[in-house]
């Protein structure tokens, strides 16, 4: 403030403080921020509900998060924190009594976060629903703690390399409690792409999650997710509506086909991006057992012209199909496909356009 008038300065300060009362969300990413300025802003935001800090260097962040108002946040996202601050921040959070309103917690891309510092947090978060621990050093011990103390419905655990090959104890069975009233977990969305769980652990997690509708994983591990080693046990059946199994060179085709026949009736979205063993037989299974399918990503698979034609003509609700990098498709078909009303990249939303696209396709390729 370059104005020498003390009254104007006072009025401006009142306006700043008054305006801060309306702040519900603070989102700051990258670079550095003057520590004192951030602390002042945080203290003035009396009705703050959501705090998102990503890649930001704030050396006094533990001091800021130690404030009592932190316990009233509904969303706390701390992505890609400075490595020297990470565990100090988690330790500060675990020193609070309770986070009575916290529903979303994101600590992704903080590789130094470990079980010792994190495991004290779930008991403090009775209403926590969504957690992202991708790219951390957490193990299954922390995940078990989340499910035992919180009502988790969305879990992102991408590229958690510390999970692979450890923790062979039985998965904790859900008990009847306010969080698990029917003896089942409330998990709806599970994204474990790039993470290899012990097969028994993840299988039991899925068995006890009868509300699971979306699964994103590496395709090579699908067999251990849904199919037991013992032939006496039956495959897992869950009400999936979306499944993404990507970047896989060692795809279990028989397991995938059985997964679709068991769970295909509700599926609306399937992504098989870069699953190079997938070809027309797998696409035919999708066509036959997924009557509600709306979106298909077959990029970098080995589907052919005839397989794609059949999928478009036989799936009445299909509005988007992505076939980039499919070497099994002929150049001539690609050229015609690029000119057809059915847009293979952006999809269609108008049913009249979809009908027109199918009629065009069948007239262009009568065989």
């Amino acid at each position: 403030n370059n104005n020498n008038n003390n009254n104007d300065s006072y009025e401006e300060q009142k306006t700043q403080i008054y305006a801060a009362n309306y702040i519900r969300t603070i989102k700051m990413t990258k670079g550095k921020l003057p520590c004192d300025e951030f602390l002042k802003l945080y203290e003035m935001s009396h009705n703050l509900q959501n705090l998102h800090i990503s890649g930001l260097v704030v050396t006094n962040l533990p001091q800021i998060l130690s404030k009592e108002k932190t316990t009233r946040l509904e969303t706390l996202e701390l992505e890609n924190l400075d490595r020297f601050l990470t565990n100090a921040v988690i330790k500060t959070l675990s020193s609070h009594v309770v986070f009575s309103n916290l529903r979303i917690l994101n600590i992704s891309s903080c590789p130094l976060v470990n079980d010792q510092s994190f495991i004290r947090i779930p008991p403090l978060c009775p209403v926590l629903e969504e957690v992202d621990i991708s790219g951390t050093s957490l193990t299954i011990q922390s995940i078990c703690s989340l499910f035992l103390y919180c009502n988790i419905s969305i879990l992102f655990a991408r590229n958690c390399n510390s999970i692979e090959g450890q923790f062979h104890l039985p998965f904790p069975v859900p008990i009847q409690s306010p969080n698990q009233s029917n003896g089942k977990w409330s998990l709806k969305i599970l994204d474990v792409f790039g993470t290899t769980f012990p097969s028994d652990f993840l299988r039991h997690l899925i068995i006890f999650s009868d509300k699971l509708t979306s699964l994103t994983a590496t395709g090579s591990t699908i067999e251990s997710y849904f199919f037991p080693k013992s032939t006496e046990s039956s495959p897992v059946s869950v009400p999936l509506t979306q499944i993404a199994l990507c970047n896989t060179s060692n795809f279990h085709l028989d397991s995938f086909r059985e997964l679709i026949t068991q769970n295909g009736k509700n599926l609306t979205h399937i992504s098989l991006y870069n699953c190079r063993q997938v070809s027309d037989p797998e696409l035919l299974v999708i066509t036959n057992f997924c009557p509600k399918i709306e979106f298909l990503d077959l990029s970098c698979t080995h589907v052919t012209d005839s397989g794609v034609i059949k999928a478009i003509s036989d799936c009445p609700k299909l509005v988007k199909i992505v076939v980039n990098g499919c070497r099994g498709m002929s150049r001539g078909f690609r050229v015609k496909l690029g000119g057809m009303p059915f847009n293979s990249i952006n999809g269609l939303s108008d049913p009249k356009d979809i009908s027109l696209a199918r009629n065009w396709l069948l007239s262009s390729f009568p065989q």
Side-chain angles (χ1 to χ4, degrees):
N1 178 27
N2 295 322
N3 193 326
N4 293 325
N5 189 316
N6 291 331
N7 290 331
D8 289 346
S9 177
Y10 175 71
E11 289 299 323
E12 181 179 334
Q13 290 178 21
K14 283 204 306 182
T15 302
Q16 290 174 349
I17 296 174
Y18 180 72
N21 287 329
Y22 288 93
I23 294 177
R24 297 291 185 272
T25 299
I26 295 178
K27 183 174 183 179
M28 297 181 174
T29 60
K30 299 181 180 180
K32 294 185 178 181
L33 186 73
C35 299
D36 294 340
E37 294 297 324
F38 190 14
L39 179 59
K40 181 180 178 181
L41 173 64
Y42 192 70
E43 289 178 336
M44 289 194 308
S45 305
H46 301 297
N47 295 303
L48 187 67
Q49 297 175 347
N50 311 297
L51 178 63
H52 180 168
I53 299 176
S54 176
L56 191 69
V57 178
V58 186
T59 55
N60 65 341
L61 186 57
Q63 175 192 352
I64 292 171
L65 295 178
S66 67
K67 302 296 181 181
E68 191 272 336
K69 70 168 54 188
T70 302
T71 62
R72 299 194 296 270
L73 291 175
E74 295 181 7
T75 300
L76 180 58
E77 299 188 69
L78 304 171
E79 300 178 74
N80 196 24
L81 291 183
D82 180 84
R83 58 181 300 176
F84 298 106
L85 285 174
T86 300
N87 279 315
V89 166
I90 300 299
K91 185 177 180 180
T92 299
L93 293 177
S94 64
S95 66
H96 288 291
V97 176
V98 66
F99 294 89
S100 56
N101 299 318
L102 190 63
R103 297 184 180 277
I104 300 175
L105 176 62
N106 183 350
I107 54 170
S108 61
S109 302
C110 296
L112 295 186
V113 174
N114 55 38
D115 290 337
Q116 185 177 3
S117 57
F118 179 81
I119 206 166
R120 295 190 293 269
I121 293 180
L124 309 179
C125 306
V127 297
L128 189 62
E129 298 176 351
E130 179 179 336
V131 179
D132 190 342
I133 59 170
S134 302
T136 64
S137 296
L138 298 181
T139 71
I140 291 180
Q141 185 179 6
S142 291
I143 295 178
C144 287
S145 179
L146 282 169
F147 280 94
L148 285 174
Y149 292 103
C150 310
N151 197 20
I152 302 298
S153 60
I154 301 175
L155 175 62
F156 296 94
R158 289 181 160 226
N159 301 311
C160 294
N161 297 324
S162 298
I163 288 178
E164 183 174 359
Q166 50 87 53
F167 195 87
H168 300 288
L169 297 177
F171 186 79
V173 177
I175 58 175
Q176 293 202 6
S177 67
N179 285 343
Q180 295 88 30
S181 57
N182 63 345
K184 297 283 187 178
W185 308 117
S186 299
L187 188 63
K188 296 179 181 178
I189 298 175
L190 177 62
D191 187 338
V192 291
F193 181 82
T195 300
T196 303
F197 282 84
S199 59
D200 292 342
F201 174 87
L202 201 53
R203 174 177 167 77
H204 280 84
L205 174 57
I206 293 174
I207 286 175
F208 287 115
S209 302
D210 59 351
K211 297 179 181 178
L212 185 66
T213 59
S214 177
L215 172 66
T216 302
T218 303
S220 60
T221 51
I222 183 177
E223 188 168 13
S224 61
Y225 290 171
F226 288 90
F227 303 97
K229 295 178 181 178
S230 171
T231 56
E232 298 177 358
S233 303
S234 58
V236 176
S237 180
V238 290
L240 287 174
T241 60
Q242 301 183 36
I243 187 167
L245 305 168
C246 310
N247 291 339
T248 304
S249 58
N250 184 25
F251 201 84
H252 299 286
L253 297 179
D254 290 339
S255 297
F256 173 74
R257 296 186 194 111
E258 190 166 355
L259 168 66
I260 297 301
T261 57
Q262 291 275 342
N263 302 279
K265 63 181 181 180
N266 295 315
L267 282 171
T268 60
H269 291 64
I270 297 178
S271 175
L272 299 171
Y273 173 79
N274 203 29
C275 293
R276 298 184 181 276
Q277 288 178 276
V278 170
S279 57
D280 287 350
E282 289 68 50
L283 184 53
L284 181 61
V285 172
I286 294 174
T287 302
N288 291 337
F289 290 92
C290 302
K292 298 180 181 179
I293 194 69
E294 299 175 5
F295 170 85
L296 269 175
D297 187 350
L298 303 169
S299 299
C300 301
T301 62
H302 279 280
V303 295
T304 66
D305 304 358
S306 59
V308 173
I309 291 173
K310 184 167 180 60
I312 295 177
S313 60
D314 290 359
C315 298
K317 296 188 177 182
L318 186 64
V319 296
K320 183 174 181 180
I321 184 168
V322 184
V323 291
N324 300 324
C326 294
R327 296 184 178 181
M329 295 171 61
S330 66
R331 184 177 182 278
F333 180 75
R334 287 173 179 275
V335 172
K336 287 198 173 185
L337 189 65
M340 66 182 293
F342 188 99
N343 189 327
S344 64
I345 302 300
N346 298 320
L348 297 172
S349 57
D350 189 334
K352 293 182 179 179
D353 291 338
I354 298 170
S355 177
L356 175 65
R358 290 198 175 89
N359 292 336
W360 179 92
L361 181 66
L362 294 175
S363 63
S364 299
F365 302 94
Q367 70 276 17

